[in-house]
Each structure stands twice: as structure tokens, then as C-alpha cells.
Amino acid sequence: ERRKFGAIGWTVPYEFNQSDLNACSLFLQNHILDMDAKKAKDVTWSTVRYMISEIQYGGRITDDWDRRQMNTFAEKFFCQAVLETNYTFLKGYTVPQTTDIAVFREHVNSYPATDSPEVFGLNMNADLVFRLDNAEK
């Protein structure tokens, strides 16, 4: 999880938590249901990005550089390309082309048990810092 790296990569340490994730999940669910009710063809990605990176998680962000970083993450992860066939977030991290939850879970469970810092937009030195911090404790 990203949590193991702590505040590395942020100017200010933020207390992102499960309730932030739950709020984002609920927003996405409601947004998709609303789109379905309106017979919308495409996801309004700008709305999704704004709500998640500026309101849900972004509401905790106080530093301008951190806000810029969060918006960059949102541009990468919340876009139409994610729904395209063979899209990869990072080598080995693909999006399954299914709506079957069992297949989706099986696919996610095939990911490595220990995530590389690159998955979270960090370089490999973040893992070294994490290990050094752990050794000191």
C-alpha cells in the first residue's frame, strides 16, 4: 500500500484515510448511476477528476505543489484511456476487460504481493527510505 511510504512525495504529510476512499467510491457509484439515468454515453472525466482531486481528497491538501501533484495523479488515473483495451497503469498492472466481479478479483489478486514504489508514482529510493526507517524502529 502507498501508506507504507508515509509522506514521501508530498510537501506536507496528509492524513488520507479509509473514509476518503469510501467517499470517492460512493461519489463514483452515484455519478455512474446518474449517467445511466440520463443515458449519457461517456463518463464526464473532468467532473470525476475535480470531485476526487479537488474536493474528496483535495479538501485535505493545503500546499499548492501537492494540489498540482494530486491533479496530475487524477489526470493519469481518471481518463477514458483506462477503459480502453490493453491499458496499463504500469508494466504488469493492467485493467481486466470484464464486468464479472469474480474475474476482476482474480485479476487483481494476480498482482505482486509487494508493490513497487513506482506503482505510486515514487522512484525506487522510496523503498530504500522505507526500509531504513523500518530498520531504525
Side-chain angles (χ1 to χ4, degrees):
E1 286 188 9
R2 168 67 173 90
R3 193 175 325 197
K4 83 177 190 179
F5 299 110
I8 295 173
W10 297 97
T11 305
V12 176
Y14 300 101
E15 294 295 324
F16 299 127
N17 56 45
Q18 189 64 40
S19 66
D20 297 314
L21 178 60
N22 292 345
C24 289
S25 296
L26 184 61
F27 162 73
L28 285 171
Q29 179 182 355
N30 290 335
H31 184 65
I32 290 169
L33 289 172
D34 187 48
M35 286 177 42
D36 187 46
K38 293 178 180 176
K39 306 286 188 235
K41 291 189 308 183
D42 296 321
V43 176
T44 50
W45 292 109
S46 59
T47 301
V48 171
R49 285 190 294 267
Y50 181 79
M51 285 300 294
I52 291 173
S53 70
E54 293 286 345
I55 305 297
Q56 306 287 353
Y57 281 102
R60 295 183 184 274
I61 296 174
T62 57
D63 182 79
D64 288 339
W65 285 105
D66 289 343
R67 183 171 313 285
R68 189 173 178 181
Q69 175 173 286
M70 186 63 169
N71 288 330
T72 300
F73 287 150
E75 288 286 333
K76 170 135 176 102
F77 293 115
F78 304 113
C79 61
Q80 187 62 34
V82 173
L83 302 178
E84 303 298 326
T85 306
N86 299 323
Y87 180 81
T88 60
F89 291 108
L90 185 69
K91 185 179 178 182
Y93 290 83
T94 59
V95 178
Q97 298 300 305
T98 183
T99 57
D100 182 346
I101 192 72
V103 174
F104 207 91
R105 285 182 177 147
E106 183 179 322
H107 183 83
V108 170
N109 287 333
S110 74
Y111 292 163
T114 305
D115 292 318
S116 158
E118 292 172 314
V119 172
F120 307 107
L122 303 171
N123 82 17
M124 293 305 288
N125 287 335
D127 196 48
L128 177 63
V129 170
F130 166 71
R131 291 176 191 278
L132 288 171
D133 286 347
N134 256 5
E136 290 174 6
K137 292 179 183 177

